[in-house]
Amino acid sequence: MHTVFAFLQAGLGRTLMVALLSVAPWVTAAESAGENKPVITLAPELFDDQQPATLGLKHALGAETFRVYQALPNNKQYNHGAVITKFKGLFFTQWQSSARDEDAADTEVRYAISEQAEHWSDAKTLAPARDNAVITNGGWWVNGDTLVAYLNVWPNDIEPRGGWVEYVTTRDGVHWSKPQPVTDTNGKPLAGVIEQDVRALADGRLLTAVHVQPGLVAKPYYTDDPSGVTGWQAGVMKNLEYKPDISRELEPSWFQRQDGTLVMTFRDQASSFKVLASESNDRGAHWSTPVITSLPDSRAKQSAGNLPDGSAFIVNNPSGKKVRAPLVITTSADGEHFDRAYALRSGGSDLPPQKYAGRYKRSGFSYPKSFVNGDYVYVSYATSKEDIEITRIPVSSLVYK
């Protein structure tokens, strides 16, 4: 019997989904069972803490790693926030880059291009440094023959720290439009910085998250505009109690279960060193209050998604402490119970030493973002916040058979 997810994948389920959502008031699964319902569970002893370099995991079969950009003595030595996509048959990776320090005044957004995601072009400037603001990258969206690149603008005079999001577009990957503001349902500039995970549901709705002003408060956001640059609106979600001007939930990603339920995963800015998660049963309009899951984390950015068979995955550093190694992909057949995990990059000898000093730099495989295309899952990340790298994993090594 086909699931709702299967109908949606086949392009047949939009009417069905709308009908299901219209016959009863929306209630999250977590609310119906109590706020402490575990959104995500982990198979016991999946990770071996006594083997910190690998957590006792085997490497994903057939995985290969390629360097996009290498920090050298006379070039940009701070590089972070890598995001990969594919446009008109070519792979594009973007990241933020500066001479030495994280979020320095000279930060610019750069990108490189590749035919097979193996050998990459020289870095090109996507958005140059600005006076009185720091510019960082906000991810990609492909709308037909147009590639959209999001830019997060962090003005120096906004207090508490926050910003807004702009975008530039191209049709050839070389010539780019001038930056314009991303707008909300009222046509006003979006007052927040966008997360690097704009992706579409099967019915065309785009989903991501925005860290909204004042400060940085993570909220799910969606739009039904296929261009990805207008009509954004916040999903309803109650954030956990934390500090003023910053939410406990930060840097989200998301996947979809085969019954259509959306799951958004978050970095926990508190000290649990676990992934937080929230659910939505109405295409991202309403979300359950986030709960602590049993999946360990390093209090860093992570990435989630779906494989072609509908199974779910999360890529992160499940060290349970601030160590950003190993880099691991953990999978689940149903999007609830995660019972398989594979090392993509290990600590120890697989982790090269940090080469250059700089503010907030640390050893590790930082801030992964994933992209599923054809027969592979591509994971982009920064190695020690210096080199930009891609690990490519065959889907056949990950799917549930």
Side-chain angles (χ1 to χ4, degrees):
M1 181 176 182
H2 291 293
T3 63
V4 173
F5 183 89
F7 277 119
L8 291 174
Q9 288 291 87
L12 303 174
R14 184 173 185 177
T15 302
L16 173 61
M17 178 64 77
V18 172
L20 289 173
L21 294 172
S22 65
V23 297
W26 181 88
V27 179
T28 68
E31 288 171 338
S32 65
E35 286 296 331
N36 293 323
K37 173 187 177 292
V39 176
I40 292 173
T41 60
L42 195 69
E45 301 179 356
L46 185 60
F47 302 127
D48 183 358
D49 295 337
Q50 302 304 309
Q51 302 183 63
T54 64
L55 296 178
L57 302 173
K58 295 180 179 180
H59 278 77
L61 186 65
E64 300 175 278
T65 295
F66 307 97
R67 181 181 292 137
V68 177
Y69 179 84
Q70 182 177 19
L72 295 170
N74 297 317
N75 66 7
K76 304 282 190 180
Q77 296 174 2
Y78 176 88
N79 300 281
H80 204 208
V83 189
I84 185 172
T85 196
K86 194 173 187 181
F87 173 66
K88 292 188 174 179
L90 297 173
F91 290 92
F92 288 71
T93 297
Q94 60 170 243
W95 68 94
Q96 72 175 81
S97 187
S98 59
R100 183 182 188 275
D101 295 327
E102 182 168 324
D103 295 343
D106 68 330
T107 300
E108 64 180 28
V109 177
R110 309 181 96 185
Y111 74 106
I113 303 173
S114 174
E115 291 184 359
Q116 301 293 333
E118 298 176 3
H119 306 288
W120 291 82
S121 70
D122 291 339
K124 309 172 187 294
T125 298
L126 180 61
R130 292 191 195 179
D131 294 334
N132 304 314
V134 173
I135 307 296
T136 62
N137 60 308
W140 303 108
W141 172 243
V142 176
N143 177 35
D145 64 354
T146 301
L147 176 61
V148 178
Y150 298 103
L151 307 173
N152 288 323
V153 183
W154 306 78
N156 297 339
D157 58 358
I158 287 187
E159 192 64 37
R161 187 172 187 260
W164 61 76
V165 57
E166 298 177 348
Y167 72 94
V168 293
T169 63
T170 184
R171 292 190 175 183
D172 60 10
V174 177
H175 302 93
W176 295 86
S177 66
K178 293 182 179 180
Q180 298 290 330
V182 174
T183 57
D184 61 19
T185 53
N186 297 315
K188 296 181 179 180
L190 201 58
V193 293
I194 200 166
E195 188 45 53
Q196 300 164 324
D197 261 326
V198 175
R199 285 178 279 134
L201 306 183
D203 64 3
R205 171 167 287 185
L206 306 189
L207 177 66
T208 187
V210 173
H211 297 84
V212 299
Q213 299 180 34
L216 297 171
V217 179
K219 295 289 186 183
Y221 262 71
Y222 62 93
T223 182
D224 294 313
D225 172 18
S227 75
V229 300
T230 68
W232 285 97
Q233 62 185 89
V236 177
M237 186 188 80
K238 180 182 178 182
N239 293 84
L240 297 171
E241 294 292 331
Y242 193 53
K243 298 178 180 178
D245 307 323
I246 185 169
S247 58
R248 181 170 173 174
E249 309 85 1
L250 286 179
E251 298 171 345
S253 189
W254 63 275
F255 64 87
Q256 188 171 26
R257 296 195 184 118
Q258 296 197 35
D259 66 359
T261 301
L262 300 173
V263 178
M264 187 163 282
T265 58
F266 302 83
R267 163 183 180 161
D268 185 359
Q269 193 63 2
S271 56
S272 75
F273 288 99
K274 304 282 189 181
V275 170
L276 302 177
S278 172
E279 297 174 307
S280 172
N281 294 328
D282 63 353
R283 303 168 61 237
H286 298 82
W287 295 81
S288 63
T289 301
V291 295
I292 300 174
T293 74
S294 55
L295 179 61
D297 194 39
S298 63
R299 205 163 71 191
K301 187 169 290 192
Q302 36 75 46
S303 186
N306 289 100
L307 298 174
D309 66 350
S311 57
F313 67 85
I314 298 173
V315 182
N316 76 331
N317 312 117
S319 63
K321 49 191 174 182
K322 288 187 177 182
V323 177
R324 294 182 179 177
L327 182 67
V328 171
I329 185 167
T330 306
T331 65
S332 168
D334 60 9
E336 294 188 62
H337 187 62
F338 284 75
D339 59 356
R340 297 182 184 179
Y342 309 89
L344 304 182
R345 299 289 299 273
S346 299
S349 60
D350 193 29
L351 177 59
Q354 184 178 313
K355 296 176 288 187
Y356 308 106
R359 182 176 61 193
Y360 305 140
K361 290 181 72 173
R362 64 169 66 188
S363 178
F365 307 108
S366 286
Y367 279 30
K369 283 298 166 189
S370 59
F371 174 63
V372 181
N373 181 261
D375 295 330
Y376 295 97
V377 178
Y378 299 84
V379 178
S380 54
Y381 52 93
T383 299
S384 300
K385 298 188 180 183
E386 293 180 337
D387 297 341
I388 300 299
E389 296 189 296
I390 301 289
T391 296
R392 183 177 69 188
I393 313 101
V395 168
S396 59
S397 298
L398 303 172
V399 294
Y400 286 74
K401 299 176 182 178

